[in-house]
Amino acid sequence: MANPNPQLDSQLHTKPLTNGNNILKFVVFSAIGIFMFFIPISINGTSSIMLDHIVTYIQKSVPGVIPYYALLVILLGAIYPFYTKTWNKDGISVFFSVFKIIGLVVACLLVFKLEPKWLADPDMGPFLFNKLVISVGLLVPIGSVFLALLVGYGLLEFIGVLMQPVMRPVWKTPGRSAVDAVASFVGSYSIGLLITNRVFKEGKYTVKEAAIIATGFSTVSATFMIVVAKTLDLMDMWNLYFWGTLVITFIVTALTVRIWPLRSMSDEYFDGEGKPEELVKGDRFKHAWKEAMEAAQNSPSLGKNIWMNLKDGFIMTMSILPSILSVGLLGLVLAEFTPVFDIIGYIFYPITALFHLPDPLLAAKASALSIAEMFLPALLVTGSAIVTKFVIAVVSVSAIIFFSALIPCIVSTDIPISLPKLLIIWLERVILTLIITIPIAFLFL
């Protein structure tokens, strides 16, 4: 059988890829990255990944400093589009640039305790600032440091070759995208998007592949799911909820990649020329090892790699934080004081009514609320039947796209996907999730 990669074999004859230095970089740095992102450990009775423990420790160590740090990042984020002269390059840029200024004003009001009574409500400004802004503001920059270890020394290439037979036929993405999926589910959607954007800019994902990953894999973390489960009294069926949500989320993604708009997105690369994943035949593990050794040998120094990722992570944090505060607040205000989400809910009402879900109109409105903020749907159905609570808990995660954080995150990346397309994908995901989840809920509950 002919070797599927003769060029790589030629390099192997001229450059010994499998040497002690490359093996050490691949094994040690990748192991540290896996430990930080994927291995839950218990500290002081709390089980979470090490990255989350570090962020929690910082929040508790200097609680008085953190709000001012977040305010500084928001200030820089509001100025950045005008400094780079990108604020008016298109309609979306103008929209988010204006809302970043609004986010800065809201942050100043909250930090300096000047907010009006309605904004001071614990479920309004304080919820967004303390639960989302501060958490993301610490998680992304710190996570970007360890991200350098996770994706910079061969692990991405190694897993990519091994996962190719699954990822490509089911989700139309390269095998290496499995790392993004796991990072989002175990760690954070912001970390998953950071990985996606980095790999996309390196020419390893097409526009379509990056869009599929950003809108189909960048879901909230397992720690967020615990908060939802506790809110809705679902912890006694945690395994059913967690594994059911995981499976349903990725089934929905497998379906959305086959319908418009994802199906019709461009197959071009970021800079025109890409580095597509080679289709492997023969000894898959052997080829995965060669790819990993080549990546380790060609990797930048540890310091340079960390600096590049930290820079990208901080710029992304600056882009995200003011938008989370302003757009997220708009969603909360619309949900609290207007009938907007009641009206949007009628899109989903035929599904919830047809399947005889208890409180069908309330469940439909809760589903509509998922576009504003992923935690809001759970708050709306706390008094509903267990079947309804389970369905909405799954929708909260599987919908993926929401205005308070993920949409600003995606817009802050280099992935060219428009806001109308994001809204269509959200609509498709909610409809498909309801159709799949409601029968499962009636079957098991």
Side-chain angles (χ1 to χ4, degrees):
M1 181 184 291
N3 192 303
N5 193 349
Q7 184 181 3
L8 182 58
D9 260 4
S10 172
Q11 291 174 349
L12 283 172
H13 288 304
T14 57
K15 260 186 192 177
L17 294 178
T18 304
N19 58 54
N21 188 43
N22 289 345
I23 294 173
L24 194 66
K25 284 196 289 186
F26 170 63
V27 173
V28 174
F29 291 153
S30 298
I32 295 171
I34 289 169
F35 172 71
M36 296 303 299
F37 285 98
F38 300 139
I39 308 298
I41 61 171
S42 286
I43 296 179
N44 297 326
T46 302
S47 178
S48 188
I49 57 171
M50 194 63 202
L51 182 59
D52 186 44
H53 285 306
I54 292 173
V55 170
T56 302
Y57 173 76
I58 294 172
Q59 286 181 269
K60 289 181 177 178
S61 298
V62 285
V65 175
I66 299 299
Y68 295 99
Y69 157 75
L71 179 59
L72 175 62
V73 176
I74 289 170
L75 172 63
L76 295 173
I79 295 171
Y80 192 70
F82 300 95
Y83 172 74
T84 57
K85 296 182 172 59
T86 58
W87 70 275
N88 60 350
K89 70 177 183 180
D90 53 42
I92 284 282
S93 299
V94 172
F95 174 83
F96 276 106
S97 296
V98 170
F99 267 81
K100 283 172 184 176
I101 299 295
I102 296 171
L104 174 60
V105 173
V106 173
C108 289
L109 292 175
L110 291 169
V111 170
F112 297 113
K113 307 297 181 186
L114 301 172
E115 69 271 33
K117 186 177 179 182
W118 66 268
L119 184 58
D121 186 293
D123 292 329
M124 284 287 181
F127 166 75
L128 282 171
F129 195 80
N130 297 325
K131 298 292 184 183
L132 291 174
V133 169
I134 287 177
S135 178
V136 171
L138 291 171
L139 187 65
V140 175
I142 296 170
S144 66
V145 172
F146 297 102
L147 182 64
L149 305 179
L150 186 70
V151 302
Y153 296 95
L155 182 65
L156 199 70
E157 288 75 10
F158 184 77
I159 291 177
V161 174
L162 296 182
M163 289 298 294
Q164 203 177 80
V166 178
M167 302 304 294
R168 181 65 67 184
V170 178
W171 291 288
K172 310 291 185 184
T173 59
R176 56 172 71 107
S177 62
V179 175
D180 300 59
V182 176
S184 296
F185 230 96
V186 181
S188 160
Y189 59 84
S190 51
I191 293 298
L193 278 171
L194 195 66
I195 296 173
T196 305
N197 194 50
R198 183 81 185 169
V199 178
F200 173 59
K201 287 169 69 177
E202 290 172 355
K204 295 178 181 177
Y205 292 149
T206 65
V207 170
K208 180 190 286 188
E209 290 165 352
I212 290 169
I213 295 161
T215 61
F217 296 154
S218 299
T219 187
V220 295
S221 66
T223 50
F224 170 87
M225 293 175 66
I226 293 172
V227 175
V228 172
K230 284 182 176 177
T231 302
L232 295 177
D233 297 321
L234 298 176
M235 285 306 292
D236 59 340
M237 58 181 78
W238 169 249
N239 279 323
L240 173 63
Y241 172 54
F242 177 82
W243 293 108
T245 303
L246 187 145
V247 171
I248 290 166
T249 298
F250 290 120
I251 288 175
V252 169
T253 299
L255 295 173
T256 56
V257 303
R258 289 165 168 80
I259 54 180
W260 190 89
L262 286 176
R263 183 186 63 187
S264 304
M265 292 199 69
S266 168
D267 288 314
E268 294 181 358
Y269 288 90
F270 178 66
D271 281 329
E273 292 185 17
K275 304 168 188 172
E277 194 171 71
E278 184 185 346
L279 294 177
V280 176
K281 298 175 182 176
D283 190 334
R284 188 167 294 278
F285 186 87
K286 182 180 178 182
H287 191 89
W289 181 258
K290 287 179 181 178
E291 290 279 332
M293 290 300 99
E294 184 178 47
Q297 179 149 298
N298 296 329
S299 63
S301 67
L302 180 61
K304 184 179 180 181
N305 199 5
I306 288 175
W307 169 247
M308 287 191 303
N309 277 272
L310 181 59
K311 182 182 174 184
D312 283 355
F314 193 75
I315 290 173
M316 178 176 274
T317 307
M318 286 164 41
S319 300
I320 296 167
L321 289 201
S323 301
I324 288 178
L325 199 51
S326 56
V327 180
L329 182 63
L330 175 62
L332 291 175
V333 168
L334 290 175
E336 183 72 21
F337 301 112
T338 75
V340 167
F341 290 105
D342 297 82
I343 296 168
I344 298 173
Y346 281 106
I347 297 173
F348 309 114
Y349 179 64
I351 301 170
T352 56
L354 182 66
F355 283 96
H356 301 291
L357 191 67
D359 300 319
L361 195 55
L362 187 67
K365 181 182 178 181
S367 300
L369 271 172
S370 66
I371 189 60
E373 212 299 307
M374 295 193 87
F375 193 65
L376 291 179
L379 296 178
L380 202 63
V381 297
T382 50
S384 297
I386 189 69
V387 171
T388 301
K389 290 198 284 190
F390 181 87
V391 170
I392 297 305
V394 176
V395 169
S396 296
V397 178
S398 182
I400 290 185
I401 295 165
F402 59 105
F403 268 105
S404 71
L406 192 97
I407 288 176
C409 280
I410 292 176
V411 171
S412 70
T413 69
D414 296 279
I415 303 166
I417 180 168
S418 66
L419 183 60
K421 285 182 179 178
L422 287 172
L423 294 176
I424 293 295
I425 295 166
W426 165 77
L427 186 66
E428 293 170 350
R429 294 194 67 89
V430 174
I431 290 172
L432 290 169
T433 300
L434 287 171
I435 291 171
I436 296 169
T437 308
I438 295 174
I440 292 173
F442 277 118
L443 182 64
F444 287 100
L445 300 176

